[in-house]
Amino acid sequence: MNRRRGVAAAITVVCALAVLASPALVNGAYAAPGPPPGPAPSGSAVAPPPVELPPGAESKKSLEDIRKEIEALYQKAASATDAYNLAEEESKKQSAEVIELAEDIVTGQLRIDELKKRAGAAARAQYRGGGLPPEAQLVLTSDPQLFLDAVGRIQQGQKATHDLIDELSRAQEDLKTYTADASTQWQRLEAGRVKKEKAKKEITERIAAAKKLEASLEKEERARLALLESDAARKAQTAWLGSGALKDINRSSSERGKKAITFATEQLGKPYVWGAEGPDSYDCSGLTSQAWAAAGRPIPRTSQEQWRLLPRIDIKDMRPGDLIIYHQDASHVGMYIGDGAIVHAPRPGRNVTLAGAGSMQILGVVRPDK
């Protein structure tokens, strides 16, 4: 119980050490208004009034333009989701480190207290011996055997005292280091929190903008928009297969790859939720990371980290279980399952589904169990 109180107190001390900078206020700059238009010079021609267009003749975005705009908004939301997930993972690690350092601080303080008690006991023992140092007491003895015994005890006592002082000094230095490290980790934790909040704000804004744009369409237009989306994916898949990029679409997966595919396909129909990693919903990298964890091979949480850290494979050598990373910013990932198809969690408003592996822009392929 005392140790728990000590840990709680130490965490409070660590929190107090963090110096959090207040965000600076930035003044917006406004362009100065232009001078009011002066009277037209004499003799100049008077501009004709603007021609009024008939109702409905105003320029209007095509459904294809709207499809591309919605796709871009969701892709930006996916990028922000990756940033959020990475910040979340870092925050978990930093929180664990802060707690561990707080426990080290408690342990270090208890050790210092113990060493101080031992030093105090030695001082009291000397006081009870008449206040004379051992060397002075040694000079006063007339017994040779006692003299020799005392010499040995003095040497042992001096070494013990020296060791005690050294240990106390080390414990105090360790405590300083733990405290400094805890302060640094706490500041990193706060920076990660700010990064998460920023990413969360961007995610919600992008998704809201995409939903608003789609909701502005008539029912028939939304149906046509869905057809345009599937048609664009089909054309991309056909072009990819026709390019010869994937010559052998039926390679065998590894044993772990089979387990990962089984897990991923069992999630079909579950909704996409950004930041989710199961069991009821997933985002794209939440699905792939959990699938490979179920296969006994933990991998990085985000698609960008999966692309950065996992072994890369040529598309021509791809086999089921490999992960296909999409878009130039590596903001999406799907699991290849063979026959030119992937299982993936597409985006908000969609469920975990099967899709053509070439239906999106491929950045590359990684193999978790290489």
Side-chain angles (χ1 to χ4, degrees):
M1 182 61 72
N2 291 333
R3 180 173 179 82
R4 290 182 180 173
R5 290 199 191 98
V7 171
I11 293 176
T12 304
V13 171
V14 171
C15 297
L17 290 170
V19 179
L20 306 178
S22 299
L25 296 176
V26 181
N27 293 324
Y30 296 89
S42 61
S44 63
V46 178
V51 178
E52 293 185 4
L53 296 174
E58 297 88 352
S59 60
K60 185 178 180 182
K61 291 181 182 177
S62 69
L63 270 179
E64 178 61 15
D65 290 336
I66 292 174
R67 182 192 71 78
K68 290 179 179 178
E69 188 173 344
I70 290 173
E71 184 180 292
L73 285 167
Y74 279 123
Q75 190 175 328
K76 288 176 181 176
S79 265
T81 298
D82 231 37
Y84 177 92
N85 289 337
L86 183 57
E88 174 72 8
E89 289 298 295
E90 289 174 347
S91 292
K92 288 177 182 176
K93 292 177 184 176
Q94 287 157 0
S95 294
E97 287 174 2
V98 167
I99 292 172
E100 186 177 343
L101 285 166
E103 291 175 345
D104 288 339
I105 289 172
V106 172
T107 302
Q109 188 60 60
L110 291 173
R111 182 61 178 153
I112 288 173
D113 292 344
E114 179 189 346
L115 292 170
K116 285 181 177 178
K117 286 179 182 177
R118 284 169 55 187
R124 287 192 296 273
Q126 182 176 326
Y127 177 78
R128 285 194 297 270
L132 292 174
E135 293 84 352
Q137 296 178 31
L138 176 61
V139 171
L140 297 176
T141 184
S142 59
D143 188 321
Q145 186 59 47
L146 289 176
F147 180 87
L148 292 175
D149 292 344
V151 168
R153 286 197 301 273
I154 288 171
Q155 290 175 339
Q156 292 175 358
Q158 287 175 337
K159 184 178 184 304
T161 301
H162 185 269
D163 291 347
L164 181 62
I165 292 171
D166 282 349
E167 190 173 353
L168 182 57
S169 298
R170 284 196 302 272
Q172 288 173 330
E173 285 303 313
D174 287 345
L175 189 59
K176 284 182 183 178
T177 301
Y178 296 149
T179 303
D181 288 349
S183 177
T184 299
Q185 288 300 332
W186 188 264
Q187 291 179 44
R188 287 177 182 170
L189 187 62
E190 177 59 17
R193 184 193 66 77
V194 172
K195 192 186 298 183
K196 277 172 53 181
E197 288 303 314
K198 181 180 178 182
K200 182 178 179 180
K201 183 173 183 290
E202 183 175 355
I203 294 164
T204 53
E205 286 177 352
R206 301 293 187 188
I207 293 175
K211 287 182 176 179
K212 182 178 179 181
L213 187 56
E214 194 167 359
S216 68
L217 300 174
E218 299 293 336
K219 183 178 179 180
E220 294 78 6
E221 289 178 317
R222 287 197 294 274
R224 285 169 52 205
L225 181 66
L227 287 175
L228 283 175
E229 288 178 356
S230 60
D231 188 52
R234 179 185 57 78
K235 286 179 178 177
Q237 172 75 352
T238 301
W240 180 66
L241 290 175
S243 70
L246 193 63
K247 294 179 181 178
D248 184 356
I249 61 175
N250 292 311
R251 286 190 184 88
S252 297
S253 60
S254 66
E255 286 305 311
R256 281 185 171 176
K258 290 176 183 176
K259 291 179 181 178
I261 291 171
T262 297
F263 179 94
T265 52
E266 285 175 349
Q267 314 312 310
L268 289 169
K270 292 183 179 180
Y272 176 106
V273 174
W274 65 266
E277 47 188 334
D280 299 321
S281 57
Y282 296 87
D283 63 18
C284 66
S285 57
L287 177 64
T288 54
S289 61
Q290 288 301 306
W292 272 100
R297 173 68 173 94
I299 63 173
R301 166 65 176 88
T302 71
S303 58
Q304 291 175 347
E305 289 295 282
Q306 289 169 8
W307 174 242
R308 188 174 71 87
L309 297 174
L310 296 178
R312 298 182 185 181
I313 300 296
D314 287 339
I315 291 178
K316 63 182 178 63
D317 298 324
M318 186 167 58
R319 72 187 185 193
D322 290 345
L323 304 181
I324 304 181
I325 309 297
Y326 293 95
H327 309 306
Q328 287 303 312
D329 60 356
S331 58
H332 189 68
V333 60
M335 179 181 293
Y336 185 61
I337 60 172
D339 294 325
I342 60 167
V343 56
H344 73 143
R347 64 169 174 84
R350 301 286 190 269
N351 297 330
V352 175
T353 188
L354 302 180
S359 59
M360 295 168 283
Q361 181 190 12
I362 295 176
L363 177 62
V365 180
V366 294
R367 178 167 294 165
D369 60 343
K370 182 177 179 182

